[in-house]
Amino acid sequence: MKVLITGGAGQIAYSLIPLLLSSNIFNTKIDLILLDIEPCMEKLEGVKMELEDSNFEYLNSLIITSDLKTAFSDIDLAILLGGFPRLPGMERKDLLEKNFEIFKIQGTALNDYAKPSVKVLVVANPVNTNCWITNKFSPNIPSENFTSYSYLDQERLAYLLQNKYNQRYEDIKNIIIWGNHSSTMVPDVSNYNSEIKLDNSDISTIQNRGASVIEKRKLSSAMSAANGIIKHITKWFHGSDDEIISFGVYNTNSYKFPEDMFISMPVKAYENFKYSVIDDLEIDSKTRTLIDISIKELKEEIYLVKHLL
Ligand code: LMR
């Protein structure tokens, strides 16, 4: 399994790599490629040294590079972490124009060098629109091979259910994050337990959890982000055992949402990176109104970058 991580010298990568290489996620060892920009190469060399000194069980080979062709050629999975980071006081969408160029370059590199079967997980914010940009620049790769990241929000929701509603983590299933990975995202537990009614403060806690972490750490979440990434790719690769989980996916008219955008939606994942959108769930009117607000925001994000295509 040839796996590329972009932003290889960054803080999410530093948490993600040990998790990725210390368990047998893909039933095989990993050929790992870490890409970063030229000014970060010295730092990346330090990461390489630490990897060498760790002797991780599931690392087969390691390349560090700032060269796109070396990074993207022949990969099976790309985890796109690299982007301009959100700083205190910034909304994720403030990063849009800064990140457009980065994802244009990466989409083009995917298209030029990767196999059409490559799978891509976009993590850098604003995730849904960065995923859309990447997808637009890689027309050779089917849109369903791209997912954007909302698993961290799902884990945050699971924590809230334990902490406030006394649920057990192992019982929690079929919870959904709808919409944009932003302060408009919509947590939904109605398919898990229809007696639990999230109040406005619960919704706001989930929507703003990323910002709350940034406020305290002065850095965006990394440990929890890495943990959610492992869960996302593990379920994407092995399947979700009939559980509904949330991926940002390319919408083709589910729930009459607008097409041609990546929206966090309920999916079931099957073996070998297959998934399908669960498009027949009931959505109550309050939730639907909130989802429509989030999708309107997504539309605005796309509007802000569409002219750059
Ligand atoms: C998060 O949700 O923690 C990350 O997306 C970082 C951020 O900008 O909030």
CSV table of all heavy atoms in Angstrom, one decimal, residues 86 92 125 152-153 156 181 210-211 214 220-221, ligand 1:
chain,number,residue,atom,x,y,z
A,86,ARG,N,-5.3,27.3,9.9
A,86,ARG,CA,-6.2,28.3,10.5
A,86,ARG,C,-5.6,28.8,11.9
A,86,ARG,O,-5.2,28.0,12.7
A,86,ARG,CB,-7.6,27.7,10.8
A,86,ARG,CG,-8.5,28.6,11.5
A,86,ARG,CD,-10.0,28.3,11.2
A,86,ARG,NE,-10.5,27.2,12.0
A,86,ARG,CZ,-11.7,27.3,12.7
A,86,ARG,NH1,-12.3,28.4,12.8
A,86,ARG,NH2,-12.1,26.2,13.3
A,92,ARG,N,-12.7,28.9,9.0
A,92,ARG,CA,-12.0,28.0,8.0
A,92,ARG,C,-12.1,28.5,6.6
A,92,ARG,O,-11.2,28.4,5.8
A,92,ARG,CB,-12.7,26.6,8.1
A,92,ARG,CG,-12.4,25.9,9.5
A,92,ARG,CD,-13.1,24.5,9.5
A,92,ARG,NE,-12.9,23.9,10.8
A,92,ARG,CZ,-13.9,23.7,11.7
A,92,ARG,NH1,-15.1,24.2,11.5
A,92,ARG,NH2,-13.6,23.1,12.8
A,125,ASN,N,-8.3,22.5,5.8
A,125,ASN,CA,-9.5,23.4,5.7
A,125,ASN,C,-9.4,24.5,4.7
A,125,ASN,O,-8.3,25.0,4.4
A,125,ASN,CB,-9.7,24.0,7.1
A,125,ASN,CG,-10.3,23.0,8.0
A,125,ASN,OD1,-11.3,22.4,7.6
A,125,ASN,ND2,-9.8,22.8,9.2
A,152,LEU,N,-13.7,13.6,12.5
A,152,LEU,CA,-13.4,14.2,13.8
A,152,LEU,C,-14.7,14.8,14.5
A,152,LEU,O,-14.8,14.7,15.7
A,152,LEU,CB,-12.3,15.3,13.6
A,152,LEU,CG,-11.9,16.2,14.8
A,152,LEU,CD1,-11.5,15.4,16.0
A,152,LEU,CD2,-10.8,17.1,14.4
A,153,ASP,N,-15.5,15.4,13.7
A,153,ASP,CA,-16.7,16.0,14.2
A,153,ASP,C,-17.6,14.9,14.8
A,153,ASP,O,-18.3,15.1,15.8
A,153,ASP,CB,-17.5,16.8,13.1
A,153,ASP,CG,-16.6,17.8,12.5
A,153,ASP,OD1,-15.9,18.6,13.2
A,153,ASP,OD2,-16.5,17.8,11.2
A,156,ARG,N,-16.3,14.0,18.1
A,156,ARG,CA,-16.7,15.0,19.0
A,156,ARG,C,-18.1,14.8,19.5
A,156,ARG,O,-18.4,15.0,20.7
A,156,ARG,CB,-16.5,16.4,18.4
A,156,ARG,CG,-15.0,16.7,18.2
A,156,ARG,CD,-14.8,17.9,17.3
A,156,ARG,NE,-13.4,18.4,17.4
A,156,ARG,CZ,-12.9,19.2,16.5
A,156,ARG,NH1,-13.6,19.6,15.4
A,156,ARG,NH2,-11.6,19.5,16.6
A,181,HIS,N,-17.8,21.2,7.0
A,181,HIS,CA,-17.0,21.1,8.2
A,181,HIS,C,-16.6,22.6,8.6
A,181,HIS,O,-15.6,23.1,8.2
A,181,HIS,CB,-15.7,20.3,7.9
A,181,HIS,CG,-14.7,20.3,9.0
A,181,HIS,ND1,-15.0,19.7,10.2
A,181,HIS,CD2,-13.5,20.9,9.1
A,181,HIS,CE1,-13.9,19.9,11.0
A,181,HIS,NE2,-13.0,20.6,10.4
A,210,GLY,N,-13.6,22.9,17.1
A,210,GLY,CA,-12.2,23.1,16.5
A,210,GLY,C,-11.7,24.4,16.9
A,210,GLY,O,-10.5,24.6,17.3
A,211,ALA,N,-12.6,25.5,16.9
A,211,ALA,CA,-12.1,26.8,17.2
A,211,ALA,C,-11.7,26.9,18.7
A,211,ALA,O,-10.8,27.6,19.1
A,211,ALA,CB,-13.2,27.8,17.0
A,214,ILE,N,-8.3,25.5,19.1
A,214,ILE,CA,-7.3,26.5,18.6
A,214,ILE,C,-7.1,27.6,19.7
A,214,ILE,O,-6.0,28.0,19.9
A,214,ILE,CB,-7.8,27.1,17.3
A,214,ILE,CG1,-7.8,26.1,16.2
A,214,ILE,CG2,-6.9,28.3,16.9
A,214,ILE,CD1,-8.3,26.5,14.8
A,220,SER,N,-4.2,24.3,15.7
A,220,SER,CA,-5.4,23.5,15.5
A,220,SER,C,-5.2,22.1,16.0
A,220,SER,O,-4.1,21.7,16.2
A,220,SER,CB,-5.9,23.6,14.0
A,220,SER,OG,-4.9,23.1,13.2
A,221,SER,N,-6.3,21.4,16.1
A,221,SER,CA,-6.3,20.0,16.7
A,221,SER,C,-5.4,19.2,15.8
A,221,SER,O,-5.4,19.2,14.6
A,221,SER,CB,-7.7,19.5,16.8
A,221,SER,OG,-8.4,19.7,15.6
B,1,LMR,C1,-10.8,21.1,13.6
B,1,LMR,O1,-12.0,20.9,13.4
B,1,LMR,O2,-10.3,21.0,14.8
B,1,LMR,C2,-9.9,21.4,12.5
B,1,LMR,O3,-10.7,21.4,11.3
B,1,LMR,C3,-9.2,22.6,12.7
B,1,LMR,C4,-10.0,23.8,12.6
B,1,LMR,O4,-9.7,24.7,11.9
B,1,LMR,O5,-11.0,23.9,13.4
